[in-house]
């Protein structure tokens, strides 16, 4: 409870701002006492839903806001059924006012769905990353899109560090040996390395990228980063990271490449066969950003050939990943479902942040400025 209150207080303390736009927009503010239909799309927890009282990010526990919403006269529909013309979500598209989703089980909000949603005013992401929404269509329709900025950046950065070590130390084959009752030290050790002295490059150094670099500093690595914005000199010195303006210059130097940029039209499929070919042979790649940043088949071919020495991440395209997704079966991978940003600690933060924005919406107040992805017909800079 203290964590929720502290998070909520921190969110409220953030300044809010407005931006001008030229698109006509749907009326955003909810009138006092005006009943709204709110739909939440989350993953189903089944038997795990009751195992932790703070497990809020699932269908069963619905961010912990059901009683609060219904006590104010709002209708709150929650489902995990989000795909296809006959899914549960589709039934509510025509008359919902607010749609809440997460990056972990995203409700894909297409231009077609936006067109059908005549009452829709607000799209909220419980977490970080709103690329499951057609942002251009949302902007053109005058919708507001917002997310709980910063809610799971620590969670993701810690997970990235874990994945770097898992790949570097060739952990997965060792674990598999134990499960299978085997014992073959050579089968693990021949491609296990120390992290110290290796060159680690992050493509993108926003909130998550900076936290990762800070956590890597004690390992004695050579730290590089590429981003549209260079850090302040004092922060670079504190972290011990070097800015590389030209991505093509940075990539061949890296023993490990970590993807930390949003999915946009510019970054979709960015790591294709040509760009992967510029990487050092045997490079390790960690991608907790978005699966679609990578060319799916190019990754498979590079891993199979050994050009990529190991690939790990928790993001797929689409999500959930189909059973025949080739990344499930390629060698030297340490893939998981999309879990890095949905730790219990992160769930408490993004549940509190979602409730805070709904409260502000009902009162006609602005959100914290950094939470906006689309406002007044304009996209946030990272999505332009």
């Amino acid at each position: 409870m203290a964590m929720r209150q502290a998070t909520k207080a921190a969110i409220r303390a953030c300044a809010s701002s407005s931006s001008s736009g030229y698109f006509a927009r749907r009326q955003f503010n909810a009138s006092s006492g005006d009943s709204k239909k709110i739909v939440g799309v989350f993953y189903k927890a089944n038997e795990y839903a009751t195992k932790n009282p703070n497990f809020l990010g699932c269908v069963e526990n619905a961010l912990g806001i059901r009683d609060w919403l219904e006590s104010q006269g709002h209708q709150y529909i929650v489902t995990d059924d989000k795909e296809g013309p006959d899914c549960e979500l589709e039934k509510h598209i025509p008359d919902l006012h607010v749609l809440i989703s997460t990056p972990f089980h995203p409700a894909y909000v297409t231009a077609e769905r936006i067109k059908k949603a005549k009452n829709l005013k607000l799209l909220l992401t419980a977490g970080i990353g709103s690329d499951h929404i057609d942002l251009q269509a949302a902007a053109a329709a005058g919708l507001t899109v917002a997310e709980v900025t910063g809610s799971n950046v620590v969670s993701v950065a810690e997970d990235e560090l874990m994945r770097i070590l898992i790949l570097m130390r060739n952990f997965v084959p060792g674990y598999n040996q134990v499960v299978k009752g085997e014992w073959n030290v050579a089968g693990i050790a021949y491609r296990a390395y120390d992290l110290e002295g290796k060159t680690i490059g992050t493509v993108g150094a926003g909130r998550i990228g900076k936290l990762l670099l800070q956590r890597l500093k004690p390992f004695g690595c050579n730290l590089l980063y590429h981003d549209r914005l260079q850090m302040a000199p004092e922060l670079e010195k504190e972290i011990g990271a070097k800015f590389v303006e030209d991505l093509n210059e940075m990539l061949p130097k890296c023993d490990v490449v970590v993807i930390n940029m949003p999915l946009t039209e510019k970054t979709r499929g960015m790591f294709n066969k040509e760009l992967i070919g510029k990487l050092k042979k045997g490079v390790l790649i960690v991608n907790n950003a978005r699966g679609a940043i990578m060319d799916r088949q190019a990754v498979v071919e590079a891993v199979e050939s050994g050009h990529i020495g190991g690939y790990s991440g928790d993001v797929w395209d689409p999500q959930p990943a189909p059973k025949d997704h080739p990344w499930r079966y390629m060698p030297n991978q340490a893939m998981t479902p999309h879990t890095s940003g949905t730790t219990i600690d992160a769930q408490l933060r993004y549940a509190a942040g979602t409730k805070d924005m709904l409260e502000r919406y009902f009162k006609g107040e602005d959100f914290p400025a950094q939470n906006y992805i689309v406002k007044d017909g304009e996209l946030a800079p990272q999505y332009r």
Side-chain angles (χ1 to χ4, degrees):
M1 181 63 69
M3 184 181 296
R4 291 194 209 184
Q5 291 173 343
T7 302
K8 194 170 181 179
I11 294 172
R12 286 190 180 281
C14 296
S16 61
S17 68
S18 61
S19 57
S20 60
Y22 52 84
F23 289 105
R25 62 172 179 158
R26 303 182 192 184
Q27 183 63 39
F28 173 70
N29 296 341
S31 302
S32 178
D34 189 10
S35 177
K36 297 297 180 183
K37 181 173 184 177
I38 298 157
V39 176
V41 178
F42 313 113
Y43 53 81
K44 189 171 282 189
N46 299 309
E47 70 272 22
Y48 301 104
T50 58
K51 291 184 180 294
N52 189 326
N54 292 324
F55 189 4
L56 301 180
C58 57
V59 165
E60 292 85 349
N61 297 326
L63 298 183
I65 58 176
R66 180 180 295 282
D67 291 346
W68 170 69
L69 284 172
E70 292 180 350
S71 71
Q72 298 189 51
H74 303 295
Q75 184 182 8
Y76 188 33
I77 308 293
V78 179
T79 183
D80 71 324
D81 185 17
K82 63 189 181 71
E83 304 292 343
D86 299 319
C87 71
E88 184 67 20
L89 172 60
E90 202 68 29
K91 297 174 187 176
H92 301 287
I93 290 290
D95 63 345
L96 60 79
H97 298 92
V98 180
L99 177 60
I100 307 169
S101 186
T102 74
F104 320 107
H105 189 74
Y108 292 104
V109 184
T110 62
E112 181 182 1
R113 278 181 165 170
I114 288 172
K115 188 175 181 180
K116 290 179 183 176
K118 302 300 184 183
N119 293 337
L120 181 60
K121 307 294 190 300
L122 176 62
L123 292 160
L124 292 178
T125 298
I128 302 171
S130 298
D131 47 87
H132 55 281
I133 300 166
D134 186 327
L135 297 177
Q136 295 290 348
L143 302 179
T144 296
V145 181
E147 58 190 41
V148 190
T149 298
S151 59
N152 54 16
V153 293
V154 168
S155 314
V156 176
E158 289 182 357
D159 189 272
E160 289 177 340
L161 177 56
M162 175 191 73
R163 290 176 190 275
I164 292 171
L165 288 166
I166 282 172
L167 291 177
M168 189 67 69
R169 302 309 292 264
N170 204 21
F171 174 85
V172 173
Y175 170 80
N176 289 335
Q177 282 188 23
V178 171
V179 172
K180 295 175 183 178
E182 300 172 354
W183 189 278
N184 181 1
V185 174
I188 305 161
Y190 83 102
R191 58 190 309 273
Y193 297 89
D194 294 343
L195 186 54
E196 184 178 21
K198 302 301 185 295
T199 297
I200 318 294
T202 176
V203 185
R207 290 178 175 87
I208 295 170
K210 288 187 180 74
L211 287 172
L212 174 65
L213 292 169
Q214 288 170 339
R215 282 153 176 75
L216 282 167
K217 183 179 180 181
F219 286 88
C221 304
N222 178 29
L223 301 177
L224 307 177
Y225 74 96
H226 170 80
D227 195 87
R228 61 190 178 90
L229 300 173
Q230 185 172 1
M231 298 179 202
E234 57 271 23
L235 183 57
E236 278 191 344
K237 184 177 181 180
E238 175 191 331
I239 295 174
K242 180 182 177 183
F243 175 67
V244 184
E245 186 173 4
D246 185 351
L247 180 62
N248 292 321
E249 178 188 338
M250 184 184 84
L251 291 179
K253 298 176 180 178
C254 296
D255 300 298
V256 181
V257 172
V258 186
I259 312 300
N260 272 314
M261 57 186 171
L263 176 62
T264 66
E265 287 310 307
K266 183 178 180 181
T267 64
R268 184 178 296 276
M270 177 176 166
F271 276 78
N272 54 21
K273 187 173 183 177
E274 180 183 358
L275 192 59
I276 290 173
K278 296 178 180 180
L279 300 172
K280 180 186 291 188
K281 181 173 174 56
V283 67
L284 305 178
I285 296 179
V286 171
N287 179 15
N288 280 1
R290 289 296 181 264
I293 292 172
M294 316 300 290
D295 181 315
R296 179 194 299 186
Q297 191 56 34
V299 168
V300 173
E301 292 173 2
V303 171
E304 289 178 344
S305 72
H307 189 78
I308 293 177
Y311 186 93
S312 184
D314 70 336
V315 287
W316 307 70
D317 182 35
Q319 291 188 176
K323 290 183 178 180
D324 63 351
H325 197 295
W327 289 0
R328 290 180 182 267
Y329 309 106
M330 63 188 183
N332 301 323
Q333 56 90 357
M335 296 295 295
T336 67
H338 195 169
T339 57
S340 63
T342 188
T343 63
I344 296 300
D345 304 277
Q347 289 179 47
L348 290 169
R349 291 189 292 265
Y350 64 67
T354 301
K355 182 179 179 182
D356 177 82
M357 288 192 287
L358 286 171
E359 283 184 313
R360 291 169 183 261
Y361 167 61
F362 297 145
K363 294 176 182 177
E365 298 175 357
D366 275 351
F367 300 156
Q370 69 271 20
N371 287 10
Y372 284 108
I373 303 302
V374 176
K375 183 184 181 185
D376 295 336
E378 293 188 354
L379 274 65
Q382 66 267 35
Y383 284 100
R384 290 176 192 164

